[in-house]
Amino acid sequence: MHWPAESLWEQLEPAWPGLTVEVRAEVDSTNARLTDQARSGDWHPTVLVAERQTAGRGRLGRAWLAPAGGSLAFSVGVPLAPKDWSGLSLAVGVAVAEALHPDVRVKWPNDLWTWGADGRPAKLGGILIETSSLPPSATGRWVVVGVGLNVSTCPEGPFAVAPAALDRLVPGLTPQQTLERVLPAILAALRAFEAAGFGVFGARFAARDALAGRVVRALAADGSVQDGVARGVTAEGGLMLHPEGLDPIVVTSADVSIRPC
Ligand code: BTN
């Protein structure tokens, strides 16, 4: 497989001095590698692509499964110093969706969805963001933005939302072409987010919001459940939920699923 690592590096390094773009045949998790890189005292901006992950990580402690060959798995690790971190996964999601296809939607807070011909949602990929500390002399934190996309194949297994492959929307798309589309978009989004926070992404998110107007269930980490109609996000990226007959609430952390009508 030929990866466009050098051309991407040439394109992106001027804005991210010291950036490296590395492709490895197999790693446990690109997020884990870049988090460990920072722990060992190496904070240079790094893009790590894995042709195969043996222990891919998903959100909420889940595993991320993807068959090698037809999927894209990579992480971007950079020092970043936004005033407020809220909404970063939505900003990255918007950047990825826009770089791919008009029918790619962002499902709060970190999924990339499209809608099947049967009217059901289908998951194209996901984003996992992890941060850790920088040396005391630096401002901000080390952030690892991990992206997994089903490009031409899907994992097998029972999933709450069926997986779908991107080449359904963009016929012939390869993992390499996908990286060429989404990586510059993600790095531009990180710069914009650092400068101005999630607010500048609000309208773009609204145009890609997978949940807007849908009845959803928010399951919090403590087990509490809240049903309501999703009505966009706040300026900080919190999900606005309107439970029937009650005041609207803002959800900042939960597992959100669409309720059958
Ligand atoms: C999710 O949907 O729960 C998020 C999935 C994120 C998967 C990507 S694949 C590249 C990077 N490395 C990981 O271990 N996870 C992320």
Side-chain angles (χ1 to χ4, degrees):
M1 266 195 261
H2 176 71
W3 288 90
E6 200 166 325
S7 58
L8 281 168
W9 175 81
E10 280 169 6
Q11 181 188 343
L12 301 169
E13 205 269 346
W16 296 87
L19 177 80
T20 58
V21 181
E22 187 185 347
V23 181
R24 288 203 220 160
E26 183 175 294
V27 300
D28 52 355
S29 151
T30 54
N31 267 41
R33 287 305 100 239
L34 294 191
T35 299
D36 282 357
Q37 174 180 313
R39 263 195 213 119
S40 73
D42 177 353
W43 295 283
H44 83 272
T46 306
V47 176
L48 178 61
V49 183
E51 290 184 339
R52 197 172 107 81
Q53 287 189 124
T54 54
R57 294 178 183 172
R59 191 169 160 259
L60 303 173
R62 295 176 186 138
W64 176 255
L65 304 171
S71 59
L72 176 62
F74 70 98
S75 300
V76 178
V78 292
L80 209 70
K83 278 203 196 79
D84 179 0
W85 287 89
S86 13
L88 179 55
S89 69
L90 303 182
V92 172
V94 165
V96 172
E98 289 175 348
L100 288 171
H101 190 274
D103 290 343
V104 179
R105 297 278 177 270
V106 183
K107 185 263 179 179
W108 190 95
N110 73 317
D111 277 2
L112 294 152
W113 278 12
T114 191
W115 297 94
D118 58 1
R120 290 170 196 252
K123 179 163 170 166
L124 299 164
I127 296 160
L128 178 66
I129 296 184
E130 298 175 279
T131 71
S132 50
S133 53
L134 287 172
S137 57
T139 48
R141 291 179 69 72
W142 174 253
V143 61
V144 177
V145 176
V147 179
L149 292 166
N150 307 320
V151 179
S152 58
T153 56
C154 292
E156 285 185 19
F159 295 103
V161 172
L166 270 167
D167 68 354
R168 180 206 278 188
L169 300 174
V170 188
L173 190 70
T174 65
Q176 292 82 356
Q177 291 164 347
T178 309
L179 182 69
E180 279 178 310
R181 286 179 180 223
V182 301
L183 182 57
I186 291 171
L187 286 169
L190 290 175
R191 279 289 189 234
F193 185 88
E194 182 175 49
F198 176 69
V200 288
F201 291 90
R204 289 162 63 188
F205 176 78
R208 297 276 175 167
D209 185 351
L211 299 180
R214 295 184 186 266
V215 179
V216 302
R217 168 163 291 179
L219 174 61
D222 65 4
S224 62
V225 168
Q226 183 68 69
D227 290 347
V229 179
R231 299 226 181 272
V233 297
T234 63
E236 294 77 37
L239 177 68
M240 291 194 284
L241 201 63
H242 291 234
E244 204 179 336
L246 296 173
D247 288 338
I249 57 168
V250 177
V251 178
T252 54
S253 170
D255 196 14
V256 174
S257 54
I258 290 190
R259 301 290 299 144
C261 300

